[in-house]
Amino acid sequence: MKQKASFLCSECGYESAKWYGKCPSCGAWNSMEEFREAKQAAPRGTLAKSDRRPNRPLAIGAIETQEELRFHTGISELDRVLGGGAVKGSFVLVGGEPGIGKSTLLLQMCQEMCRQAKVLYVSGEESLRQIRLRADRLHISSPQLFVLAETDLDEIIEESDLLEPDVLIVDSIQTVYKADLNSAPGNTTQIKECAMTLMQYAKRRGVTIFIVGHVNKEGTLAGPKILEHMVDCVLYFEGEKQISFRCLRAAKNRFGSTNEIGVFEMSDCGLIEVPNPSAAMLSGHPADASGNCIACTIEGSRPILAEIQALVTKTAYGTPRRMAAGVDYNRMVLLLAILEKRVGLYLSASDTYINVVGGMRLDEPAIDLPVALAVASSYRDQPLPEGVMAFGEVGLTGELRAVTAAAQRIHEAIRLGFTTCIMPKQDIGRMAVPDSFRIVQTGNIAQAIGAAFGAKQ
Ligand code: TYD
Ligand code: MG
């Protein structure tokens, strides 16, 4: 018989019968915690054979596949990330750093959802009065919205059974606990057991459950990784607290595509959707300053234009300084080396700083060319002509390499009124481009720089 696991790694969820100082699976130190299963949890496999539902293999064609019923959240950015609304009976995890706006987003979502469904919002973090004040601030009121301040999971389930809501929101999984486990809330055992109970509840009752999960300082969800395996959909709410833009990303979605993003802005009265992120990112773009270039990056299925800025100055002391915000540091260093060797820019005697405006993080190879153009522009102290944008991967020999979704990027540039696109030599299919829009395809970085500065105004 398999020995029952009694220790669980709080980082990766590795189970073991023995305690280790270092987790054999993920290598984390001091992360093994004792795990006790709930006392009254029905042991698996004890149901008499006659009590079980017959569970027989089915021919795949014989399985019924009616369209899933979805609740629209009234927030189109959120609906898109969920794959067209929240599926009935699904289990969704919303993760993010404290203070990023998870509770605000979920409460705002209730306003529209309450028109189609009964919603129970359970908070383990705020009092009823605090929730009411927040709801007033967000102008949310609905007779279909019920609020409960409770942390005991069994009580929550009992209340939910009485109320029979269609949507249950638990804010947050780290604050709820099961009384029959003798470990503190937020503990790995508690998180695992509570999530398991909620998942079974969601599937059994057909209730859509949203849970909030805090992210620790490394940026991963606090609690075991198994939480992510258990849920149907994992959404991450990200952004810099000082900057008002927030990004909602789907890291996993059993009912839609992943890597979709939703963009929001935090305001005095809650989160506002940003349906046109490119325009928002480009607002305040200086027209004739040297050292900036517009890049087009693909986030999920959407192209987003972002401004990359570079500042190249003479090094005051021996070693040159390099700093990158929003782009990968090593990638930047590599691009500087390519510019020095292949284009002849004498950058080893210059400090170089790169920044992506708006706090966006771009980690796609297609931003190589705009980064290089921004650096060249600052180095020459010559602004790029107005209306120029670029995308393309740069190889070590200075060649420009093809990127994905080129046509989509060009469409976005046209939509936002750009007039020139500098890009690699690649097939863009048949697309309608207005006469005023120039597509310049070049083979290497030196030609691209020549073409960019020579582009007509
Ligand atoms: P919150 O949703 O509580 O974050 P989380 O649940 O992720 O911890 O709130 C995020 C921050 O947003 C909070 O510091 C206050 C601010 N905020 C606004 O700026 N405007 C608003 O309308 C609301 C409700 C909050
Ligand atoms: Mg909160």
Side-chain angles (χ1 to χ4, degrees), residues 103 125 134 171:
S103 309
E125 303 194 338
R134 188 198 294 254
D171 186 0

Side-chain angles (χ1 to χ4, degrees), residues 97-105 125-126 134 137-138 171 214 246 266-271:
E97 283 179 23
I100 204 76
K102 302 178 293 296
S103 309
T104 309
L105 179 72
E125 303 194 338
E126 288 166 302
R134 188 198 294 254
R137 190 171 166 188
L138 301 172
D171 186 0
H214 292 294
R246 305 273 189 273
M266 184 59 99
S267 76
D268 291 349
C269 47
L271 291 158

